[in-house]
Every structure is written in C-alpha cells, then in structure tokens.
Amino acid sequence: AGAAAEARFISSAKGKGLFATKNIRKGETVFVERPVVSSQFLWNALYNYRACDHCLRALETAEENAQRLLGKSSLVLPHPEQCSIRKELHQQCPRCQVTYCSAECRQAALEQYHQVLCLGPSRDDPTHPLNKLQEAWRNMHYPPETSSIMLMARMVATIKQAKDKEWWIKAFSQFCSKTANEEEEIVHKLLGDKFKGQLELLRLLFTEALYDEYLSRWFTPEGFRSLFALVGTNGQGIGT
C-alpha cells in the first residue's frame, strides 16, 4: 500500500494542500516528511527542554523528563527499557557544543546550515549578533510560542552554504505568498500592536548577523516582512 495522502498544489493564495488518496484508518500514519528547515522555540530551549538541534527529537530520557518537570530528582520511573532515548548515540558540535541525537543529524546540520550559524566559543556571549537577535526575539515573543526567528536564520544560512542556491530559493518560494496587507496582518498577529517598530529592530539585528549580497532583497523592509510572513503562514509549531 502506498502513502495515505499526497501533497497537491491548490492555488498561489493557498499553496499546497494534503489530500487523502485512500480511506484512512484510525491510528494510521497519514503523511511523513522532513521539514525544509526546523528550529526549537527559543524560550523552550532557555528552559532546558533538551532537544536535538537539528531534528528536535528529545535528548532526555522519560525519567529525566519527569524529574525535571516535577522538580523531583529522586523520582524513579518503572520500565526504563521502554524508553527509546539512546544517549550513547548523542553527539555535540565540537566548536559550539550544541547537541544532536545522532552523528547523522550533526552531519546533516553541518552540511545544510550550521557552518554559518555555529557560534563557536561565542555561544554565551550576549554581544554576538546572533545572540542579540535571539534575545530581541524572546523579548517580543513570549510563551506560548508559535514561531522562531531562527527559522529565518536557518533559511538564510542554508542558501549561504548551498552550492545550488537557486534550487533552495525556488524551494522556499514554493510556499504560498501573501499580499502586502495580508503580510502586515500576519506580522501584527505574531508580534502584537508595536509590530512595526519591532519588525524594524529585528530586521536591523537580522542584517547585522546574517547579511548576504545574494539575498539582499530579504534584508530590505519589504523583503524582510515577506520572509517573516512566509514563516508565519507556513511554519508549524509543535509543543511537547
């Protein structure tokens, strides 16, 4: 049996949609795909929800998770053999120490975007442009979180690192686009009433951290708003 659903283009306003290809039983997996780019929510990371920096799989065991959430370090969970976390497979970036669930994820991140975004020894330096960008985002976007500025940073870094930059630009441009008014509404929804000033502050910090001549349009006020709206429209937040 093939996949239970397939992605089809609907219209430029709606982009792609997911259509059932057969009757779907309860509990059946409908559709699986790798995200084009993903990033852990910034407050979520700050609160020590440990996740793979690439695929976002949990890095803590079920017992550690329960201990942290309940504030009880002595808690013991039964049936540890049922826990799927394999700590012996976890790896860190040797330069900045972000953690991955496997060698495959470490390599995939390095090949796609991490060379550009690796903070090296500046990981805890609040004056580093990428850290300033993340701090500004946290101060504008409190929990419950729905998006992350780092999705956009990873998009830029992906194109910076890519041999075939046009392929990636085309991949990102396939997501549905909006009119200027619709974009403004999306940004307003993400950032609140002071969105115009906040968007401009984010744009300046984003430019300081990541500017690239090839993508210069993304760094203009209009281009940045479009990029922001693209992530706001097509991003999918997953809470665990």
Side-chain angles (χ1 to χ4, degrees), residues 3-210:
E6 66 179 18
R8 288 187 210 144
F9 181 76
I10 302 170
S11 68
S12 56
K14 281 202 161 172
K16 290 178 184 171
L18 206 55
F19 293 83
T21 53
K22 59 180 187 182
N23 289 337
I24 296 167
R25 292 189 308 276
K26 183 179 175 181
E28 189 180 348
T29 299
V30 175
F31 186 72
V32 178
E33 69 172 351
R34 279 204 189 108
V36 179
V37 65
S38 59
S39 184
Q40 187 180 5
F41 288 141
L42 293 181
W43 281 101
N44 188 276
L46 199 68
Y47 285 135
N48 288 324
Y49 286 76
R50 284 169 38 239
C52 174
D53 201 60
H54 183 67
C55 77
L56 310 187
R57 278 192 181 89
L59 295 175
E60 57 186 358
T61 62
E63 184 170 275
E64 287 171 331
N65 182 272
Q67 288 171 346
R68 177 173 55 75
L69 291 172
L70 293 168
K72 279 189 179 176
S73 57
S74 58
L75 182 80
V76 176
L77 286 187
H79 309 298
E81 72 285 353
Q82 297 285 339
C83 182
S84 62
I85 303 301
R86 295 286 166 264
K87 293 204 156 186
E88 68 277 8
L89 299 179
H90 295 177
Q91 291 203 356
Q92 288 187 314
C93 167
R95 291 190 64 237
C96 70
Q97 273 72 57
V98 297
T99 310
Y100 300 96
C101 67
S102 61
E104 289 76 19
C105 272
R106 184 172 78 84
Q107 195 54 36
L110 195 66
E111 284 171 11
Q112 189 184 328
Y113 55 79
H114 190 68
Q115 291 170 51
V116 168
L117 297 179
C118 182
L119 288 168
S122 305
R123 191 178 171 188
D124 299 317
D125 175 6
T127 66
H128 189 285
L130 272 170
N131 285 333
K132 279 162 51 180
L133 177 67
Q134 292 180 75
E135 177 64 14
W137 176 259
R138 277 195 299 267
N139 288 331
M140 293 172 195
H141 197 81
Y142 289 97
E145 295 177 272
T146 56
S147 193
S148 170
I149 194 76
M150 293 310 288
L151 281 172
M152 293 160 63
R154 287 189 177 184
M155 288 166 75
V156 169
T158 294
I159 293 170
K160 276 189 169 194
Q161 277 190 218
K163 288 187 179 73
D164 188 350
K165 297 183 192 305
E166 275 308 308
W167 186 90
W168 277 101
I169 287 180
K170 199 163 169 235
F172 290 132
S173 69
Q174 280 175 10
F175 292 102
C176 61
S177 51
K178 301 287 181 192
T179 65
N181 284 348
E182 288 171 320
E183 284 179 353
E184 200 142 295
E185 266 176 53
I186 293 159
V187 177
H188 185 188
K189 202 166 146 190
L190 271 174
L191 294 178
D193 287 335
K194 299 188 195 137
F195 74 95
K196 287 187 174 162
Q198 292 186 330
L199 191 66
E200 184 54 16
L201 172 64
L202 284 173
R203 186 180 74 85
L204 294 171
L205 291 169
F206 194 76
T207 303
E208 186 192 347
L210 293 158

